[in-house]
Amino acid sequence: MVDLSLIIVNYNVKEFLQKLLDSIKEASNNLNTEVIVVDNASTDGSVEVLRERYSWVKLIDSKVNLGFGAANNLGLEISTGKYILLINPDTIVKEDTLDKMVEFFKNTPDAGMAGCKVLNPDGSLQLPCRRGFPGPWTSFTKITGLSTLFPKSKLFARYNLTFLDENETYEVDAISGAFMFFNREVYETIGGFDPEFFMYGEDLDLCYRTQKAGFKVYYYHDTQIIHYQGESTKRSNMNSTRVFYDAMHKFVKKHFSSYLLVEVILQMAIFLRKLLAFVSIYRFIIFPAIIDFVFVTVAIIEAETYLLQTGAGFPDYAKPWVYLVPAIIQLTFFAVSGVYRKNSFSVLKNILTLFAGFVFISAFTYFFKQYAFSRAVVLITFAILLVALPLWRIIAKLVFRIGVEDGLKKTRTIVIGSSKEASNLAEKLQSNYLNIHNVIGLVGFGVEEIGKEIDGFEVIGSTENILRVVESNKIDKVIFASDQISFDQMFSVVSKCQGYNIEFLVAGNEHDFIVGKTAINMLDDIPLVHLSYNISAFPQAEIKRTADIIISGITLLFVFPFIYLLSKIGLKKSRLVSFILGMPKVFSGKKSIVGPINKAVQDELYLGKPGLTGLWFTEGVPGTKKDTYKLDVYYARNQNLWFDFEILGKTISKMFLDREKK
């Protein structure tokens, strides 16, 4: 008889599924197991990989996406094991996980269902692996945030049970659908999932019905899995927030229909959750826009105060529109020009757009004479704004470090492994132009390996002293070369680094992909020569050349002659002087103000005209051709006028800072 049936529902997570199946094979040595994979109409080649590499897997190839519950039911119908494990494809099990779960059930006769400790990729506990049912009080404390404010309170923290020790075993209301272990008696008594739940909520429903049938549900702490949460959802076009709360609504209606309060709370939750998610995603748009609106309005009021001193003021018929309309117009200019972005905000772009708004609003008054009260009001308003709006952004960046991160942040990475394969993986990461990795070195498995060099990559530590390596090198990502490390060793490293906000990833067997909590990053997916870059696209190229001519022309007329004469009579050569003296080449078209460090064409890939400055200067890269080339490729792919202005602004700032240090 089969000891254990493992059922996996897969939807477009081929790489994660492969890692899970490999870990299951390692964990099944002492058990007679069957593995059933139900594929929910994946389009990423999952079915082909399963048939080619995993012939021992029982495959159910669904031609439509049935949802999580209904697909699991197909697997349950053909399962034959004494015990059943429903497990998500974006997980990895320890080598002892299956053995320990079977042993737990043998030693706990009243257990009908159990879940183990589920970890996030950073080693922290994934809270839904043990939780309470969303009754009236539990729902209220969850939605209002009381459970977060008082995580150790039995009264307020009943949903995620954060007041309980994660390193103890106990009975709970519900466990996570990512890992649900139960005996066949439970399945034969209550059946499978309710197909009314497409995704989310079905695990709560199954746990609720299990307990109603007289079985107990347990959280078992003595083994764990890693769960890269939400990977299937990321590959679908569904609104996960809406689907989640729709599922909660179905659950409450099914089991708590008499509680009107719960219905009201859940509807509030849907609205608040969507509002908070929207604010979180667009915070760099919403809050700067609100602050700017207040500043523009206040500036107009201050300008009117000046006007009152001359014996006049805004007439009543113009209020409040005389305060609101100019603010709306200026914010519209900001929005159209890209001042408000989802991940940061620009000081230079803000200043330039203020001038555009000033010209438009000044012209606007000529067409609406009844609102043309005083040119002085417009001048004073924009004089205030020219100081206030850039100033609050500078303070936010320099003092509070808000909005300083951007897509170019170089990820400090280490590779766990000391073999030829590990160095090949590190080389692929270094040469992957779609993601800028700064590979600090390799990490071996023994102290004796420290100091070795493998194809140019130094072994800077071992798994025994991984914490020292992480702390001293400020590591952001740890990537496992899976050919050389067991899953138990991976879990050991994750456990040691718990709490350090590190992302852990596992490389594929051929090192052609890496698996992480946020995405599948293909290392060899597209030859560079086939990529399209902004640097040569219309109209970016024409706009860039026009900007070069205007800026270099103005510099040549008003600044260049003085710097040139001073350089001839002994002015010390500096980066700023060289920058200005390079303007004739920009005006003639031989160079660009912003561009790559030297050659315009590298490896048959056009990166633009050589620049007087560029990311190679502003980002402070140590000068190796490989590192600067990667930055030049990044710039070529993302070039636009505002990006050039930002680089130019950073360049000028850095030049003056460098002078002050000297």
Side-chain angles (χ1 to χ4, degrees), residues 299 303 358 361-362 374-386:
F358 169 72
I361 291 173
S362 297
S374 171
R375 298 290 179 268
V377 171
V378 179
L379 288 171
I380 293 170
T381 297
F382 278 90
I384 294 171
L385 295 178
L386 198 59

Side-chain angles (χ1 to χ4, degrees), residues 621-629:
V621 171
T624 65
K625 286 185 178 180
K626 184 178 291 185
D627 287 330
T628 54
Y629 182 35

Side-chain angles (χ1 to χ4, degrees), residues 202-453:
E202 64 283 294
D203 49 359
L204 283 173
D205 177 70
L206 195 65
C207 290
Y208 189 88
R209 289 190 285 122
T210 297
Q211 292 184 35
K212 283 293 184 182
F215 301 99
K216 290 186 177 181
V217 177
Y218 281 90
Y219 164 77
Y220 178 58
H221 80 281
D222 203 27
T223 188
Q224 62 258 356
I225 66 168
I226 291 178
H227 181 208
Y228 298 95
Q229 191 173 17
E231 292 301 329
S232 293
T233 305
K234 292 174 187 175
R235 287 157 178 76
S236 71
N237 59 3
M238 71 173 65
N239 183 324
S240 59
T241 299
R242 180 181 59 79
V243 173
F244 175 79
Y245 279 106
D246 282 349
M248 291 299 98
H249 181 267
K250 287 179 183 176
F251 176 81
V252 170
K253 189 174 181 179
K254 180 176 179 179
H255 298 295
F256 298 97
S257 57
S258 60
Y259 292 110
L260 178 62
L261 178 61
V262 178
E263 177 78 16
V264 173
I265 289 172
L266 281 173
Q267 292 302 324
M268 285 174 53
I270 295 171
F271 174 76
L272 290 174
R273 180 67 180 267
K274 288 180 178 178
L275 180 63
L276 289 173
F278 180 83
V279 171
S280 176
I281 294 171
Y282 296 101
R283 62 190 182 278
F284 285 113
I285 295 175
I286 295 171
F287 293 116
I290 292 172
I291 294 170
D292 287 348
F293 187 86
V294 170
F295 270 117
V296 175
T297 306
V298 170
I300 295 171
I301 293 172
E302 289 299 315
E304 184 193 14
T305 303
Y306 167 80
L307 192 63
L308 286 170
Q309 293 174 358
T310 65
F314 296 146
D316 290 338
Y317 74 81
K319 297 176 182 178
W321 306 112
V322 72
Y323 304 125
L324 300 179
V325 172
I328 293 170
I329 291 172
Q330 185 58 59
L331 260 67
T332 302
F333 269 82
F334 285 155
V336 171
S337 63
V339 168
Y340 304 126
R341 295 184 298 173
K342 286 200 296 183
N343 58 345
S344 64
F345 41 75
S346 167
V347 175
L348 184 62
K349 193 181 295 186
N350 178 266
I351 294 171
L352 294 171
T353 311
L354 271 173
F355 283 108
F358 169 72
V359 172
F360 182 86
I361 291 173
S362 297
F364 184 82
T365 59
Y366 283 101
F367 295 96
F368 296 89
K369 296 294 184 181
Q370 64 272 34
Y371 292 101
F373 306 116
S374 171
R375 298 290 179 268
V377 171
V378 179
L379 288 171
I380 293 170
T381 297
F382 278 90
I384 294 171
L385 295 178
L386 198 59
V387 174
L389 298 192
L391 183 61
W392 82 254
R393 284 171 165 80
I394 292 169
I395 292 172
K397 287 189 173 189
L398 296 182
V399 179
F400 300 104
R401 307 297 296 168
I402 299 173
V404 295
E405 297 293 334
D406 56 34
L408 195 59
K409 182 177 181 290
K410 292 173 283 298
T411 304
R412 297 179 65 82
T413 304
I414 54 175
V415 174
I416 307 292
S418 56
S419 63
K420 176 74 173 176
E421 287 73 16
S423 65
N424 287 342
L425 173 60
E427 179 61 31
K428 284 187 177 184
L429 289 167
Q430 289 278 48
S431 60
N432 177 23
Y433 304 117
L434 303 183
N435 295 285
I436 300 178
H437 288 272
N438 182 9
V439 178
I440 306 302
L442 308 178
V443 173
F445 304 101
V447 179
E448 69 279 0
E449 293 183 311
I450 297 175
K452 277 175 50 180
E453 189 170 294

Side-chain angles (χ1 to χ4, degrees), residues 91 109 129 158 167 175 199 207 275 330 442 498 585 602:
T91 59
C129 70
R158 286 167 55 179
N167 296 312
I175 56 176
M199 181 174 284
C207 290
L275 180 63
Q330 185 58 59
L442 308 178
Q498 188 170 349
K585 290 186 177 180
Q602 301 185 41

Side-chain angles (χ1 to χ4, degrees), residues 569-590:
I569 59 174
L571 177 65
K572 187 177 179 181
K573 194 90 176 246
S574 67
R575 181 69 196 172
L576 181 59
V577 171
S578 298
F579 181 80
I580 294 171
L581 294 179
M583 286 297 173
K585 290 186 177 180
V586 174
F587 193 79
S588 66
K590 293 179 180 177

